Amino acid sequence: MKHLFLLFAFCCGAISTYAQDVENLIQIPAAELGKLYKSASFNRVSVHDPSIVVDKSGTNKRYYVYGSHRASASSFDMKNWSNNNWSYGVVNGSRITTVDYRQAFVTNMTKKVRVLQGTDTVEVAFGNFDGQQWRYTANNADLGGNQWAPDVIWNPYMNKWCLYMSLNGDNWRSVIALMTADQITGPYIYQGPVVYSGFHWTDLPNQTWKQTDFKLVPGLQQLSALPGRYLVGGSWGNRWPNNIDPCVFFDDDEQMWMSYGSWSGGIFILKLDKYTGLRDYTVKYTLKGSGDDTTQDPYFGTKIAGGHYVSGEGSYIEKIGKYYYLFMSYGGLESNKGYEMRYFRSSNPDGPYKDAKGTSAIFTTYQMNYGPSANSNAGNRLFGSYKWQSMGDAEVAQGHNSALLDDDGRAYLIYHTRFANGGEGHQVRVHQLFQNASGWLVAAPYEFVGSPYNQDSIESRQICSADEIAGTYQLIPHPYRIDFANKAYQKESEIYLDAEGNVSGDYTGSWTISIDNTSYILLKLAKKGSTAQTQYTGVVLPQQVSGTNMPSVSFMAVSTNGVAVWGTNVDGKYAVDYNYQKVKDKLPFKAYQQVTSDLDLTVPTYYGAEVTWTSDQPNLISNEGKLMVTPTSVSTDPNIKVTMTYRIRKDNYYCESSRTVRVRCSEADAIDKIYAEDDVRDGIAEGIYTLSGVRVDNTASGLKGIYIVNGKKKLLK
């Protein structure tokens, strides 16, 4: 993907946020204020480790997420979710009986499989494998809490829904089991194990490697003893996987694959038999590498990521465009343990997978690869912990994602997130994914709430013009090495993109758009005061601010070092109204307040808006809120009204409102200008007025006394 970019003049000097021609300012009518911005809410669900699948069998396409601890939810629009139940079943004669999960994994229904013997493919008895019995349960006997991170896929060759469930056990003694159903909600019936781990242990006499499918695997059938490479005791995790977290997919040639594994020896991938959904026992994997650097194994298949007990789990592979993208989560899943999503890509389903820096997803030594002490930045960051101003709480510890390229060309990222102030509670989130001009993924900064844009939209036209892109942006970068223990998250900086391609504000630099009728953007940014620029390539398009109805122009980009950056320019009209609604009840002083000291005119602002004040009597209270006279408590001194007008502005939109206060001072203090008695303006005699707006005259209602007019005393009585 090579694209030309229109290069604007580069400028690293600061530019005023409001450098536009003041003649272009547009005032929002008072009748519209408070009616533009509205909050928006969606039905939320808690599904840990959500794996996405689409059911197209009904009248309306329906999306499902399946997660750990038998949680599931569904949605018709990828934004409103409802909890969903699915069931287990067993076959009794010609009937399927719904059962509890404790009875679900005892007897597998697959009785025969095809295996490779020499150069021939033959059918042999599969045997029976009690999946529940295999797990190491000495420290954790509850199967209910150890059904982790399933993946569901429709298999057209079996005409079944296939659910791949992790049955987790301690000491790496885990197994991934296949269950199938005619309906996506079950009942799911146990077909058999797909791959085991931890079969080197001999501490429990009724659990040995001979009870696994080991001797069905090509090249291992004739073995009478477990090869020494598996006899590593407590060092299993340095070399071999813990067999949980499956991801099953078809490649472009309709070959079925499963990636799997968690931390430990890394992420591996196997070919599956699409006619049984189980491991393809006709595929032989040659041993490659040695010791802890084994990269291919006859039983476990091909290593594609991780190793040496480097953090990494929840692999998910999705083909988007011409690349297979491998997603992984690094860190611990708790809110203060640093969970974060990264990705690599490859032209082949089984790798090699690399990031934008060219770094392999496979580790050859132990590395700390997340958090402030990380010495490895392998993997592009999709994004990290963050908080937009419209959010009530920051997202932290996002991870264990899945991804979907839908049949309408839209690509999605689906993950669970915890919150900075929410304990260990978690919810599902969905963001749209795009590819930049180099084919690297970028995630949209706001949740998906419906969008007409897909990758074809980006590549076929310039959705936003330079004038539409210009404006005040809230910027969130997503660097590596975040202080996760303190639930650190990225907050907004503010930058201004002008229509000539300059960037100013908290970052300086330039921005360019593609000139070949696409929606790609290139940014060169340096922190204010620094000359060290980072180049980001991404896309720019309209979005809607999460939790609101506010439109925005947003860019999402990634650097060649794998660091993501988001920028969002909320529509000026909506941003002004948003600020008006937030400010109007939180002004720093009350209506008709008696002012005895300087006014604090500080008010919070959001999404790049600015608030300025104007006093109608600056000789009493300045535009900055400074009290210009000495207030008195003498009851005979008048209470003079001062109107403070505030203007809220974002880009070329603004609104105005006011609040009146009172200042008690002597009448002499109130005189700000002198009028001649015969001053006539527009045919009306001006006369003399006090600053409280009262005309000084000889009428019954006038104020009597001595006044100075043009330096002369005037007596009114």
Side-chain angles (χ1 to χ4, degrees):
M1 296 183 183
K2 293 186 177 179
H3 299 272
L4 299 175
F5 285 84
L6 178 62
L7 180 62
F8 293 109
F10 171 73
C11 176
C12 61
I15 298 176
S16 170
T17 300
Y18 297 127
Q20 302 97 326
D21 188 341
V22 294
E23 293 182 359
N24 293 328
L25 292 181
I26 302 171
Q27 183 172 9
I28 301 173
E32 293 184 25
L33 290 176
K35 299 177 182 179
L36 296 172
Y37 156 74
K38 297 183 185 302
S39 62
S41 61
F42 305 106
N43 296 329
R44 305 290 195 185
V45 290
S46 296
V47 177
H48 209 265
D49 313 327
S51 179
I52 189 75
V53 62
V54 186
D55 182 5
K56 303 176 185 178
S57 61
T59 305
N60 296 314
K61 181 167 58 176
R62 193 170 186 176
Y63 302 90
Y64 289 81
V65 287
Y66 284 77
S68 294
H69 315 303
R70 309 182 306 286
S72 178
S74 64
S75 172
F76 289 106
D77 57 12
M78 293 287 272
K79 56 186 181 182
N80 291 290
W81 296 87
S82 57
N83 291 313
N84 177 67
N85 293 317
W86 59 275
S87 61
Y88 306 85
V90 296
V91 176
N92 289 320
S94 60
R95 299 180 59 189
I96 297 176
T97 303
T98 301
V99 296
D100 183 85
Y101 65 84
R102 296 172 183 84
Q103 291 81 49
F105 300 98
V106 176
T107 304
N108 52 264
M109 293 303 298
T110 301
K111 303 304 180 185
K112 292 183 179 296
V113 293
R114 295 179 305 132
V115 302
L116 185 66
Q117 291 186 353
T119 59
D120 297 326
T121 298
V122 299
E123 189 173 69
V124 299
F126 187 46
N128 190 67
F129 302 92
D130 186 335
Q132 181 171 335
Q133 183 271 344
W134 172 256
R135 295 175 51 253
Y136 186 92
T137 59
N139 300 324
N140 192 343
D142 178 26
L143 176 62
N146 281 282
Q147 294 179 72
W148 290 356
D151 193 28
V152 177
I153 188 173
W154 171 253
N155 186 332
Y157 298 92
M158 299 174 65
N159 201 33
K160 297 283 186 181
W161 292 100
C162 292
L163 186 153
Y164 294 82
M165 177 66 80
S166 306
L167 303 181
N168 176 69
D170 288 342
N171 293 340
W172 304 280
R173 194 192 294 275
S174 304
V175 60
I176 295 172
L178 167 64
M179 309 181 81
T180 66
D182 294 324
Q183 304 296 325
I184 193 169
T185 56
Y188 282 92
I189 299 168
Y190 176 47
Q191 299 300 315
V194 183
V195 64
Y196 287 89
S197 62
F199 44 67
H200 65 305
W201 290 99
T202 58
D203 51 346
L204 298 179
N206 64 336
Q207 293 176 316
T208 75
W209 65 277
K210 294 181 180 180
Q211 293 172 296
T212 74
D213 67 337
F214 193 85
K215 296 185 74 171
L216 294 171
V217 174
L220 302 177
Q221 293 104 324
Q222 307 303 317
L223 296 178
S224 59
L226 196 64
R229 64 180 178 272
Y230 303 119
L231 299 173
V232 290
S235 297
W236 177 279
N238 295 328
R239 183 178 306 179
W240 305 121
N242 183 27
N243 287 3
I244 59 173
D245 296 353
C247 169
V248 179
F249 64 98
F250 287 94
D251 67 16
D252 290 341
D253 298 321
E254 292 301 301
Q255 171 62 57
M256 198 176 191
W257 299 84
M258 183 180 77
S259 67
Y260 67 97
S262 175
W263 290 56
S264 304
I267 307 298
F268 286 74
I269 194 168
L270 287 169
K271 288 184 176 180
L272 302 184
D273 182 344
K274 60 190 177 186
Y275 298 103
T276 66
L278 300 172
R279 179 194 184 114
D280 189 342
Y281 293 101
T282 68
V283 177
K284 185 175 182 178
Y285 297 92
T286 303
L287 183 64
K288 295 181 181 179
S290 62
D292 293 347
D293 289 316
T294 299
T295 57
Q296 187 164 282
D297 178 73
Y299 185 79
F300 293 115
T302 303
K303 181 189 288 187
I304 58 173
H308 291 271
Y309 226 104
V310 177
S311 171
E313 63 182 18
S315 68
Y316 201 90
I317 297 174
E318 184 75 1
K319 178 79 177 297
I320 303 175
K322 66 179 182 179
Y323 294 107
Y324 292 90
Y325 293 92
L326 168 64
F327 301 88
M328 295 176 63
S329 294
Y330 291 172
L333 57 83
E334 292 92 340
S335 59
N336 63 346
K337 293 298 178 62
Y339 227 26
E340 62 179 64
M341 297 172 286
R342 303 198 194 173
Y343 73 93
F344 305 81
R345 77 181 186 194
S346 174
S347 298
N348 305 301
D350 54 349
Y353 285 93
K354 295 183 178 181
D355 65 12
K357 301 179 286 294
T359 305
S360 171
I362 296 175
F363 286 89
T364 57
T365 61
Y366 173 77
Q367 302 282 313
M368 186 63 180
N369 62 340
Y370 67 98
S373 301
N375 49 19
S376 167
N377 291 334
N380 291 1
R381 293 205 73 184
L382 278 165
F383 53 86
S385 302
Y386 72 94
K387 183 180 184 297
W388 292 115
Q389 291 177 336
S390 59
M391 296 165 57
D393 198 359
E395 282 194 14
V396 298
Q398 309 107 313
H400 212 298
N401 70 279
S402 56
L404 171 68
L405 178 62
D406 213 346
D407 53 12
D408 60 8
R410 290 186 291 198
Y412 302 98
L413 176 80
I414 301 93
Y415 64 98
H416 72 250
T417 182
R418 286 174 166 79
F419 304 93
N421 299 308
E424 298 310 314
H426 53 84
Q427 293 179 345
V428 172
R429 292 289 187 271
V430 179
H431 288 236
Q432 204 166 350
L433 290 172
F434 298 93
Q435 292 172 293
N436 69 6
S438 300
W440 293 107
L441 294 178
V442 288
Y446 294 125
E447 291 181 73
F448 178 78
V449 294
S451 169
Y453 307 111
N454 58 18
Q455 191 64 30
D456 286 343
S457 307
I458 301 301
E459 297 179 358
S460 64
R461 67 185 190 274
Q462 184 180 321
I463 300 171
C464 301
S465 68
D467 286 338
E468 290 170 331
I469 294 170
T472 305
Y473 283 74
Q474 307 310 114
L475 184 81
I476 292 184
H478 298 281
Y480 296 97
R481 299 186 174 92
I482 299 302
D483 182 12
F484 59 83
N486 291 310
K487 301 184 182 182
Y489 57 86
Q490 297 305 302
K491 301 176 183 178
E492 301 169 8
S493 300
E494 188 170 294
I495 61 173
Y496 181 71
L497 275 61
D498 69 23
E500 286 70 45
N502 301 303
V503 179
S504 59
D506 293 329
Y507 287 75
T508 61
S510 64
W511 66 274
T512 63
I513 53 175
S514 173
I515 62 173
D516 54 357
N517 200 35
T518 67
S519 293
Y520 295 114
I521 188 170
L522 184 149
L523 301 107
K524 296 179 180 180
L525 301 177
K527 287 187 176 181
K528 188 175 183 179
S530 171
T531 59
Q533 285 190 335
T534 300
Q535 180 170 298
Y536 300 89
T537 54
V539 302
V540 57
L541 76 169
Q543 268 209 290
Q544 184 172 312
V545 178
S546 298
T548 79
N549 67 334
M550 295 192 295
S552 72
V553 173
S554 299
F555 63 75
M556 54 228 74
V558 63
S559 73
T560 54
N561 291 326
V563 175
V565 65
W566 287 342
T568 180
N569 174 22
V570 176
D571 179 271
K573 191 173 185 180
Y574 282 80
V576 167
D577 193 57
Y578 180 89
N579 279 270
Y580 171 76
Q581 293 190 43
K582 295 291 183 180
V583 165
K584 65 185 179 67
D585 295 324
K586 297 181 180 179
L587 293 177
F589 53 89
K590 297 179 180 179
Y592 296 99
Q593 174 179 318
Q594 189 81 47
V595 177
T596 59
S597 61
D598 293 347
L599 284 177
D600 179 6
L601 300 183
T602 304
V603 293
T605 56
Y606 307 88
Y607 290 105
E610 292 184 357
V611 175
T612 55
W613 292 84
T614 303
S615 170
D616 72 337
Q617 301 203 53
N619 67 306
L620 298 184
I621 301 177
S622 73
N623 294 338
E624 294 75 30
K626 182 175 179 59
L627 185 61
M628 306 300 291
V629 296
T630 302
T632 70
S633 59
V634 179
S635 60
T636 57
D637 284 338
N639 262 317
I640 303 172
K641 297 176 183 178
V642 180
T643 298
M644 301 297 295
T645 298
Y646 60 93
R647 171 180 285 193
I648 302 173
R649 180 178 171 184
K650 166 76 191 310
D651 297 331
N652 280 351
Y653 284 93
Y654 76 96
C655 73
E656 288 186 341
S657 189
S658 62
R659 178 163 287 183
T660 299
V661 295
R662 297 174 299 151
V663 178
R664 186 181 294 279
C665 60
S666 68
E667 188 65 33
D669 289 332
I671 298 174
D672 70 331
K673 65 174 67 173
I674 300 173
Y675 296 99
E677 285 181 288
D678 56 352
D679 267 353
V680 177
R681 301 186 185 184
D682 298 325
I684 301 174
E686 285 290 333
I688 305 170
Y689 292 84
T690 70
L691 287 181
S692 57
V694 179
R695 183 183 175 102
V696 178
D697 56 29
N698 288 324
T699 65
S701 61
L703 292 176
K704 309 300 187 287
I706 298 174
Y707 296 90
I708 305 297
V709 178
N710 287 341
K712 299 179 180 179
K713 278 193 299 184
K714 297 288 183 180
L715 177 62
L716 296 179
K717 59 182 181 178

